[in-house]
């Protein structure tokens, strides 16, 4: 049990719709990272938030956006959903940025785009 | 850019067999290295880590040594159990940032 919670657990959307996924970070952590894990693949880094500011972004289009709130919880928003967006979305929290630090993962949100 | 390559799977073993899952990496600088495990329907759990060359990470009978000369971080366990069945991911973390770069994962099945 990492203390990182994600909601919802599962979600079904239609192509073109918009979706918001939520993440509550572990107590004391101020950094949240989001990853996309397609079926049978390793997780791919989407972006990271540190103290409410984006701090690094992977190779994902602008329709993937996020927020971090003062309590360090976070949202991932995806606009204009495409079929290829179907994946497990993982949130990880950690303390601070830079240097080696451990990221603790939630159980993920399974998104299916039809 | 950074990358992680894991041995192709899936791997099927009998209980009490010896396990090796190979992992090699490409990175600039001196990354930290991790093994994460994912059980069915769950997120990733940190299994072990090493932050500098020649460090050995260990946990629950698993171990891996950070080999800079061969850019490798192979996972080993002397005697696997059925409960070890899961997907194992090797990952690196840049020293200048906190994003994790993962390998493709290796599915391990242990039969009684």
């Amino acid at each position: 049990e990492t203390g990182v919670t994600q909601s919802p657990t599962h979600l079904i959307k239609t192509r073109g719709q918009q979706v918001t996924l939520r993440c509550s970070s572990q107590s004391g952590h101020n950094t949240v990272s989001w990853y996309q894990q397609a079926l049978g693949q390793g997780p791919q880094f989407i972006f990271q938030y540190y103290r409410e500011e984006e701090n690094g972004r992977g190779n994902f289009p602008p329709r993937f956006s996020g927020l971090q709130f003062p309590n360090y919880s976070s949202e991932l928003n995806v606009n204009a959903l495409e079929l290829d967006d179907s994946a497990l979305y993982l949130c990880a929290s950690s303390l601070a940025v830079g240097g080696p630090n451990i990221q603790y993962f939630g159980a993920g949100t399974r998104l299916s785009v039809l | 850019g950074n990358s992680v390559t894991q041995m192709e799977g899936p791997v099927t073993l009998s209980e009490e067999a010896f396990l090796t899952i190979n992992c090699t990496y490409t990175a600039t600088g001196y990354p930290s290295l991790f093994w994460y495990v994912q059980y069915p329907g769950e997120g990733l759990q940190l299994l072990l880590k090493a932050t500098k060359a020649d460090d050995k990470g260990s946990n629950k009978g698993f171990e891996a040594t950070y080999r800079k000369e061969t850019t490798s971080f192979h996972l080993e366990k002397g005697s696997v159990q059925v409960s070890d069945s899961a997907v194992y991911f090797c990952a690196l973390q840049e020293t200048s940032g906190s994003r994790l770069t993962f390998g493709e994962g290796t599915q391990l099945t242990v039969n009684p």
Side-chain angles (χ1 to χ4, degrees), chain A residues 35 37 40-43 45 48 56-58 88 90 96-103 105-107, chain B residues 32 34 36 38 41-44 46 49 51 89 93-100 102-105:
Chain A
Y35 295 84
Q37 186 181 14
Q41 306 284 319
F45 176 75
Q48 180 184 84
R57 187 179 183 92
L88 179 67
L90 296 166
V97 294
N101 59 68
I102 296 172
Q103 296 189 10
F105 284 80
Chain B
S32 296
F34 302 83
Y36 278 85
Q38 188 174 35
E42 299 186 11
L44 276 68
L46 177 66
K49 68 177 176 68
T51 58
F89 292 94
Q93 185 178 55
E94 302 171 22
T95 54
S96 59
S98 296
R99 71 178 66 185
L100 290 167
F102 287 89
E104 294 289 301

Side-chain angles (χ1 to χ4, degrees), chain B residues 54-108:
Chain B
D54 300 324
D55 267 2
K56 177 185 285 189
S58 61
N59 186 26
K60 300 179 181 180
F62 292 89
E63 59 183 34
T65 301
Y66 189 144
R67 300 289 188 198
K68 185 172 180 297
E69 63 276 12
T70 54
T71 61
S72 65
F73 192 54
H74 304 322
L75 181 68
E76 296 182 337
K77 187 176 186 183
S79 176
V80 293
Q81 305 301 311
V82 172
S83 58
D84 294 327
S85 298
V87 181
Y88 292 81
F89 292 94
C90 183
L92 69 81
Q93 185 178 55
E94 302 171 22
T95 54
S96 59
S98 296
R99 71 178 66 185
L100 290 167
T101 300
F102 287 89
E104 294 289 301
T106 301
Q107 171 77 57
L108 170 66

Side-chain angles (χ1 to χ4, degrees), chain B residues 3-8 22-26 35 71 74 90 102-104:
Chain B
S3 67
V4 175
T5 301
Q6 291 184 229
M7 68 184 291
E8 292 184 13
N22 290 338
C23 170
T24 58
Y25 67 89
T26 301
W35 278 100
T71 61
H74 304 322
C90 183
F102 287 89
E104 294 289 301

